[in-house]
Structures are given as structure tokens and as C-alpha cells.
Amino acid sequence: MFIKIKMGAIPLSIVMALSISGCSNQSEQGGDTNSAAKDVTTQEVTTLRFSHFWPSTAALHTDVFEPWARKIEADSEGRLKVEIYPSATLSKPDITYDSTAKGTVDIGAQVQGYISGRFPLTEITQLPGLSSSGAQLSCMLQTLYNDDVIASEYEDTHPLFMMASGPGVFHTIDKPISKPEDLKGMRIRRPLEIAANIIEAAGGTPVGMPASDQYTSLQRGVIDGVSTPWDAAGAFKLAELTNTHTTMPLYSSALLVTMNKDKYESLPDDLKKVIDDNSGMDMAKIAGGLFDSEDVRVKAESKARGDTMIEIPDPLNDPAWSGILKTEIEKYLNDVEALGLDAQGVYKKAQEAGVACKV
């Protein structure tokens, strides 16, 4: 899959192929290949266990995580091996960050909002109106981390790269949502606190549950709909069950891939460099671009099936939605301020980063 990313980013699969090709050419040009092979086989291999909750069929797994793991292995000449455990088989979605901090896993991908109150400054970036794409929010998050605006929240691990999905969408069965009042009495699975607050303020019932439980809960009528980005609706097969969709930047989900700090520090400097060279802004943009391309694909497939599409591109200025959204934004910022944190300052810096990162 070729992901179009600004600033000249190259798909990981191509970079990896070139890297491997370059190593091959060097061997052909000279040197004792048998000796080199012997050196590699006698060197210690460090295995890094990478845990995440997306299914193995999800594009994030196949087109970002797997190529990234192969690139790490290639760049380290086989001295680092990344074993990926999808579908929350190694750690539950809401404890993956803590599992990484404790060393239960070496690398973990986490939705920060799955741990309510754990990353209050980071979660400010998820508020309505700050971003309109995964690439934009991924860039925003990485910028705020690099500038030490939110870095203090991750001091117990070694973050590799921030990433983010596109805006959350309401997906329901035969129940269109075009204004807040339409949520009254509906049970909606929500992933984040800000989404829960908005749903509840509109008269709906926010329901928390793991992403893997959404499909069967919809099937059995336990919930009436879900609030999730288009890419997740595809990855978890929710688009197959729902036929009514409200697309608007209601919220966005911040995510990250992080590494156990002790495991990173235990590596020799040259292997730390391999990790560092495959971290940061370039990876943030690749992951964000992947989320966006999946949003476009899944949405197009749903539209082609004849599903009902409701578009609210600018809810902060929409007469029906602006009041409730602005109220909930202010309440959220006040709650963070009550913790003794500079919520308003971070919100302003997030707005500035959003402008700089706009795709």
C-alpha cells in the first residue's frame, strides 16, 4: 500500500527494500560474506514484544506496524526482532500503556483516552474543532510532545511516536443523528471521556466497552450505535452492521506507540539509534496518513452500499451543535484546570499546532 504523505515521506516497505538491497550490494562488492554471516549468527538477538488491540487484518497492523517491525529488524541487521501480538492477546487495550511501563510488554500501542484521567493534557487535543484528520492530529501530538508541552505525561516510558485517527463518527442502524436531540434515549458506545460527555449532555447513554465487543453488542441490540472513526468501523466490521452515519469532527482519538524505558536503555547505542531513526515525526505522519486513507476507503464502501450519510463538517459553527459542544469544551478545560494544570495554555498551543499541521 502506498501512503501519500507530505514532506516526502516514503512507504516503509520501499525504504526497507532499499535498505536490504543496499546491504546486499555491499556484500557483492567485497568482504568475506561467510565471515559476516557467522558474525550475525553469533551476535545476541534482542526480541521486542509489541502489543496492540487492532485485529491482524487491520490496515494499521499490516501496513504500518508490520513494515515498521521489518524495518527495525533490517536496520539492526537482525540483532533486533519485533514480535507483534495483535487483538489484545498480550495485554488488554486499557492497560497496554501500564503494561509497557512495567515491562510486561516491551512495546505497546495505546489509545490514551482508554485510561480516563491518565493523560489529561494530551486529551485536550481530542476536543472538537482542533483537528479534521488523522494526519493533522498525529502531527499536532508529535509537535506537542517534541516541544515538551505534554511530554511530562509519558516519563515512565520511552515514547516512539504519537499517532491519531480521524474524527469520530456516529454509526447506527436505521437511526439517523443530525442534531443533538436525536441522541436522546440512545445507547452509544463511546471511546473517550469527551465523547461520553457530549452524548450524555444530549440525552443519550454513553456505554464503555472494549473495541472488540462492539460488533456483538450491536448485533444483539445491547447498544444502538457506536461513536468511532471510519477506519475503526472498517477494522472491527462495524460498517457491515450499521447503515446510517453522521460524519463530523465531534472528537478525535489520540494514540501512541511507546517502549519500556528500561528495555530501551539496556540496548547498546547503535541499536538505540535504530529505534530512534524509526521513531518521531516521520512515523507519526505515516500512521496518521494510514488512518485517513482508511477513513476514505471505508466511507466510500458504505456510501456505495446505499447507506444514509449525514455530513456536519463544521459543528462548532452549526446552529444545532455549537452550543452543546462549546459548553462541553469549556467544562472539560475547567476540569483539567482544577487539577492544577495549565489547560487553557495547552489548548492554545494545540490550536497553534493544529494550524501548523493542517494538511
Side-chain angles (χ1 to χ4, degrees):
M1 176 179 178
F2 188 94
I3 303 172
K4 294 183 179 179
I5 306 294
K6 290 190 174 183
M7 299 179 69
I10 301 174
L12 288 177
S13 57
I14 295 176
V15 175
M16 183 192 73
L18 292 174
S19 175
I20 295 173
S21 174
C23 292
S24 174
N25 289 338
Q26 290 174 3
S27 298
E28 292 173 3
Q29 290 170 2
D32 186 345
T33 56
N34 290 332
S35 176
K38 183 178 180 181
D39 288 343
V40 172
T41 58
T42 57
Q43 287 176 337
E44 182 179 353
V45 176
T46 299
T47 299
L48 303 173
R49 298 183 304 163
F50 180 2
S51 175
H52 70 78
F53 68 88
W54 288 268
S56 60
T57 54
L60 186 66
H61 177 88
T62 59
D63 295 349
V64 175
F65 291 159
E66 284 189 331
W68 178 82
R70 292 196 296 268
K71 181 74 163 43
I72 293 290
E73 293 176 20
D75 288 359
S76 68
E77 297 181 339
R79 293 164 60 203
L80 290 175
K81 179 177 176 58
V82 181
E83 291 181 350
I84 307 179
Y85 294 81
S87 300
T89 54
L90 199 59
S91 62
K92 293 181 179 180
D94 59 342
I95 65 168
T96 297
Y97 182 88
D98 288 333
S99 296
T100 307
K102 294 173 183 176
T104 307
V105 302
D106 301 308
I107 300 171
Q110 171 85 51
V111 178
Q112 286 95 318
Y114 280 5
I115 317 175
S116 182
R118 175 64 178 79
F119 304 97
L121 296 179
T122 298
E123 289 196 68
I124 288 172
T125 67
Q126 303 175 142
L127 294 173
L130 285 178
S131 68
S132 58
S133 70
Q136 184 184 16
L137 183 51
S138 296
C139 172
M140 288 168 57
L141 287 163
Q142 193 67 47
T143 297
L144 295 175
Y145 177 80
N146 291 348
D147 292 346
D148 289 329
V149 177
I150 59 174
S152 62
E153 296 187 328
Y154 305 96
E155 291 179 346
D156 51 349
T157 66
H158 180 81
L160 301 180
F161 56 94
M162 300 288 169
M163 58 181 183
S165 67
V169 176
F170 286 122
H171 306 273
T172 59
I173 303 172
D174 299 328
K175 294 184 178 181
I177 299 171
S178 59
K179 56 187 182 299
E181 292 78 9
D182 295 331
L183 286 164
K184 189 173 182 179
M186 294 184 69
R187 297 159 298 176
I188 305 291
R189 186 266 178 178
R190 55 81 178 168
L192 310 173
E193 182 180 351
I194 184 61
N197 294 346
I198 293 169
I199 292 167
E200 190 169 35
T205 301
V207 180
M209 65 176 61
S212 56
D213 292 346
Q214 295 175 98
Y215 188 93
T216 54
S217 295
L218 271 172
Q219 237 180 359
R220 296 171 181 173
V222 175
I223 54 177
D224 301 306
V226 298
S227 178
T228 196
W230 275 108
D231 80 275
F236 293 96
K237 311 297 183 184
L238 308 177
E240 297 177 0
L241 294 178
T242 56
N243 60 6
T244 305
H245 317 273
T246 302
T247 299
M248 65 174 169
L250 181 67
Y251 70 90
S252 295
S253 294
L255 308 95
L256 86 158
V257 175
T258 195
M259 185 172 179
N260 177 265
K261 183 177 285 189
D262 290 339
K263 179 64 97 174
Y264 174 82
E265 293 297 339
S266 72
L267 298 175
D269 288 345
D270 62 329
L271 293 187
K272 286 180 183 176
K273 187 176 187 303
V274 169
I275 297 294
D276 294 345
D277 288 348
N278 290 280
S279 301
M281 186 63 81
D282 286 346
M283 281 305 307
K285 290 181 177 180
I286 287 171
L290 183 280
F291 280 116
D292 290 339
S293 65
E294 282 298 287
D295 281 354
V296 171
R297 181 185 67 81
V298 178
K299 183 178 181 180
E301 290 177 353
S302 295
K303 188 174 183 178
R305 284 195 294 267
D307 288 2
T308 299
M309 299 288 179
I310 299 168
E311 302 284 344
I312 306 174
D314 187 13
L316 285 182
N317 290 306
D318 183 275
W321 288 94
S322 62
I324 190 171
L325 295 186
K326 290 177 180 178
T327 297
E328 292 306 316
I329 289 172
E330 197 60 33
K331 283 173 60 178
Y332 186 85
L333 293 175
N334 288 339
D335 287 345
V336 177
E337 287 276 350
L339 299 174
L341 301 172
D342 184 16
Q344 293 292 344
V346 173
Y347 185 64
K348 182 179 178 181
K349 289 177 180 178
Q351 289 174 312
E352 293 170 352
V355 173
C357 291
K358 192 167 181 62
V359 178

